[in-house]
Amino acid sequence: MSENGKNLDPKGRQAARSHSRQLPSSMVAKEFGKVYIQDDGQNRHVEFSVWVQQLSGAKAEGWKTGVALDASASMKDWYGRNLSGKIPDNLMKEYEGKGWVQTRKDDGYPVKSFKKEAYQDAMKRGHVKFTENIVEPFVRDLIAYLANELDSEGKTTAIYWACGDGAAFEVIGDFSPDESKNLKISGPKSVSFGSGTMLTPSMKYFIEKYSDSPQAMYIFITDGKLDDLENVKKYTTQIAKKIEKGELNPVKCILIGVGDKIEEQQMIELDDLETGTDIDIWDHKVAKEMRALSEIMVELVDDILDVTATIYDAAGNVVARFTDGMPSNIIFTMPVSSDFFELEVNDKKIRQSVVEP
C-alpha cells in the first residue's frame, strides 16, 4: 500500500480500498471519517481519514470553508456555455444579415454573440454544439470534500466571482456533501460573465460574512490574471494586522490557478507577501487542467494540519509518526494481531478498534 504514515496518490488509494473492508460508522471514533482495513498475512493495513474539526487544539477547530469560482468571460467554455464547432461562411452571413450574430469584447477577447435563433438553427443542422462543462463535476467533489473533512457546520459556501464588470460576485449557496452531488454549476445567473478579474470584493465578502468563525479557509479558483493585485495585497495586509492584534480570527486563503493562461508570478507574490506581521494569509497551487483539481484536494487540507502526531498499535509500539504536520488521510501497517490502534495528537489519545463485534 504505502510507507507508514504516507498518503497514496488518489488512484493508488482507490485501488487499495477495493481490497479492503470498511468499518461500520457505528464503531468509528467521532474524530475519524472512514476507516478501511486490509489483512495481508502477518500485516494489517489501515487507512483512515481525520475529521479535522473534532481534533483538540486551535489549529483544528471551528473551520468555516468557502469556494469562489472564476466567472470571467474566458471561463465560459469551461462551464459549457460556449458553442464549439464551425458555422459555414455562407450560413454565418445569413445569420448576420438576420441580426442573429453580434461581435463584442469580453474580458479583452473578441466574442461572437449568437441569438437563440442562430445557435438553435446551427445545432439543428449539426454544425455546432455546446462545450463540455468540465467545472461542475470537480467543483462538486471539492465542495463535498471541504464540507465533509473540514467545515465545522458540514456545509461549504460557494460563490461565483469576477462577474459583471469583474468586481461583482454571485452567491450560489451553502452545501453539504449530499447536496453537492446534484449541484448545478454552469456560471452566474443574476449577473453576466465578467469583463475583468477582481479578487478583492469576493475576498471581503467571505471574511466579513464569517468574521465570527474561529478560523476560516477560502479557496479561489481562476484561469487568468488578477486585475486588482495591488488592492488584494493592501487588503491582505490589513487583515493580517487585524489578526495579529486579535481583532479578527485567523483566515487562510488559497488561490488555485488552472490552465495555461494563469499569471503564476502574481500567485507567488501573494504567497510570499510581506505584511509586516507573522501572519501568513495566502497559499497558491497550480493545476494544469480542471481535471487535476481532484489530485490536489487532499493537499489543501493536509497543509493546514500543522500538528505532531503518533500512532500506536495495541501493544503500544509506534507504527507511524508525524513530526512536521499530519495528513488528513493516513495509511499505516501494524501486526495483524493488533485489534486496535491509538492516534495521539495534541496530547490526546484516540483509540479505534479494528475488529468488528
Side-chain angles (χ1 to χ4, degrees), residues 191-207:
V191 288
S192 64
F193 280 86
S195 58
T197 307
M198 310 288 188
L199 178 57
T200 312
S202 55
M203 186 182 176
K204 284 184 176 179
Y205 166 78
F206 278 132
I207 291 173

Side-chain angles (χ1 to χ4, degrees), residues 6 11 30 58 67 78 82 99 104-105 147 157 186 194 197 219 248 257 263 278 291 295 299 318 328 346 353 356:
K6 299 290 184 65
K11 290 183 179 178
K30 67 177 183 179
V67 174
W78 294 23
N82 273 342
R104 68 178 191 278
K105 281 194 173 182
T157 302
S186 58
T197 307
I219 298 172
L248 182 68
E263 293 281 347
D278 292 330
R291 291 176 174 84
E295 298 174 9
E299 293 179 32
V318 174
S328 61
N346 294 329
S353 174
E356 297 182 45

Side-chain angles (χ1 to χ4, degrees), residues 73-305:
S74 60
M75 288 286 293
K76 277 187 176 181
D77 273 354
W78 294 23
Y79 285 105
R81 295 285 291 274
N82 273 342
L83 296 171
S84 64
K86 182 174 176 57
I87 297 176
D89 292 340
N90 63 325
L91 193 58
M92 181 69 75
K93 289 179 181 179
E94 178 184 330
Y95 291 164
E96 289 173 345
K98 293 180 177 180
W100 288 359
V101 181
Q102 297 177 332
T103 301
R104 68 178 191 278
K105 281 194 173 182
D106 274 344
D107 205 12
Y109 296 93
V111 176
K112 284 188 179 294
S113 175
F114 292 81
K115 288 189 176 181
K116 185 177 180 180
E117 295 88 344
Y119 71 73
Q120 284 186 338
D121 183 72
M123 290 176 70
K124 184 177 180 180
R125 299 186 190 207
H127 295 302
V128 298
K129 62 180 180 179
F130 280 109
T131 53
E132 178 188 1
N133 185 340
I134 61 174
V135 179
E136 185 174 84
F138 301 101
V139 169
R140 286 175 175 175
D141 287 347
L142 179 58
I143 290 173
Y145 189 85
L146 293 172
N148 187 57
E149 297 291 342
L150 188 63
D151 198 286
S152 60
E153 298 176 354
K155 288 195 172 187
T156 292
T157 302
I159 69 172
Y160 295 114
W161 67 285
C163 307
D165 62 358
F169 59 86
E170 179 180 288
V171 179
I172 306 172
D174 300 335
F175 303 98
S176 67
D178 285 341
E179 291 169 336
S180 70
K181 291 178 181 177
N182 299 310
L183 183 59
K184 184 69 175 175
I185 299 292
S186 58
K189 296 180 180 179
S190 62
V191 288
S192 64
F193 280 86
S195 58
T197 307
M198 310 288 188
L199 178 57
T200 312
S202 55
M203 186 182 176
K204 284 184 176 179
Y205 166 78
F206 278 132
I207 291 173
E208 292 175 2
K209 181 174 178 62
Y210 299 112
S211 59
D212 291 338
S213 297
Q215 52 191 346
M217 182 174 75
Y218 306 121
I219 298 172
F220 301 83
I221 299 174
T222 184
D223 75 329
K225 69 175 184 178
L226 303 179
D227 295 324
D228 64 338
L229 179 62
E230 293 307 312
N231 284 339
V232 176
K233 289 180 179 179
K234 289 178 183 177
Y235 183 61
T236 300
T237 300
Q238 291 173 11
I239 63 173
K241 290 180 177 178
K242 286 185 177 181
I243 292 171
E244 185 178 61
K245 293 178 182 178
E247 298 173 357
L248 182 68
N249 291 327
V251 172
K252 188 57 140 180
C253 295
I254 300 171
L255 185 59
I256 301 179
V258 187
D260 57 8
K261 293 183 180 179
I262 59 172
E263 293 281 347
E264 189 175 5
Q265 182 55 43
Q266 289 188 331
M267 304 171 77
I268 293 172
E269 287 182 36
L270 283 180
D271 206 331
D272 297 339
L273 183 63
E274 293 290 341
T275 62
T277 72
D278 292 330
I279 306 300
D280 181 25
I281 302 294
W282 283 100
D283 283 336
H284 87 281
K285 294 186 181 294
V286 174
K288 293 300 182 183
E289 57 181 19
M290 201 72 194
R291 291 176 174 84
L293 277 181
S294 60
E295 298 174 9
I296 66 174
M297 285 193 297
V298 173
E299 293 179 32
L300 296 175
V301 177
D302 287 354
D303 288 347
I304 64 166
L305 287 179

Side-chain angles (χ1 to χ4, degrees), residues 49-63:
S49 57
V50 179
W51 286 88
V52 183
Q53 65 268 28
Q54 293 291 349
L55 296 178
S56 60
K59 278 283 186 180
E61 290 182 348
W63 286 90

